[in-house]
Amino acid sequence: MNDRSKHDHSGWEEVVLAARERAHSRQALMVERFGLSGDVQYHWSLDDARITWSRAGKVFLAGRLTMLGSVSLAQRSWLWSWANDSLPPAALGDVERVRRYGEENGFPVLPWPSFDHRPELVAEARMVAASVLDAEGIWADSSDGVQLHFLVHDLAPATG
């Protein structure tokens, strides 16, 4: 869908506002409930779509990841994970639902495979995706000029 005239701007603004409120409250709850601030380390794997958090070398929390997309800072572009053939299938989760939601509701930024990196637009897309996929939180990591954006699901205390 590359026809920008089909974009429902007022509908998008309403969806973004609701998604932003939801994402902010869920993110704050996740950080507070599980103590994800301070001296916390994390490790994620795309191969098994998992993320863990540890403190002093002891894992205390685990969850499932959905890779949303990536930003190339050099190319100044966003690429949705569903359009990235190099990702393991496990990392994609249900991200295809986000693309379909965009098509069904006239929100082209969701079904476009990529778009120019504008931080506010990336933030809006991430929050709407988090709402569509009922994520507990949003996570990001950066390395070598690439930002990776994830949703976090199914958080549970680590056992063992």
Side-chain angles (χ1 to χ4, degrees), residues 69-121:
S70 57
V71 171
S72 166
L73 297 176
Q75 296 176 351
R76 299 189 42 80
S77 65
W78 165 269
L79 176 65
W80 282 102
S81 62
W82 55 262
N84 187 341
D85 294 336
S86 70
L87 296 173
L92 300 179
D94 292 332
V95 76
E96 187 67 26
R97 282 181 35 213
V98 175
R99 184 189 62 74
R100 286 193 310 271
Y101 178 81
E103 287 177 342
E104 293 164 1
N105 291 283
F107 305 140
V109 72
L110 302 178
W112 288 338
S114 65
F115 54 86
D116 290 342
H117 174 247
R118 293 195 331 252
E120 182 61 28
L121 188 56

Side-chain angles (χ1 to χ4, degrees), residues 57-73:
K58 181 169 174 51
V59 174
F60 67 90
L61 183 66
R64 179 174 57 87
L65 287 178
T66 298
M67 174 78 176
L68 276 184
S70 57
V71 171
S72 166
L73 297 176

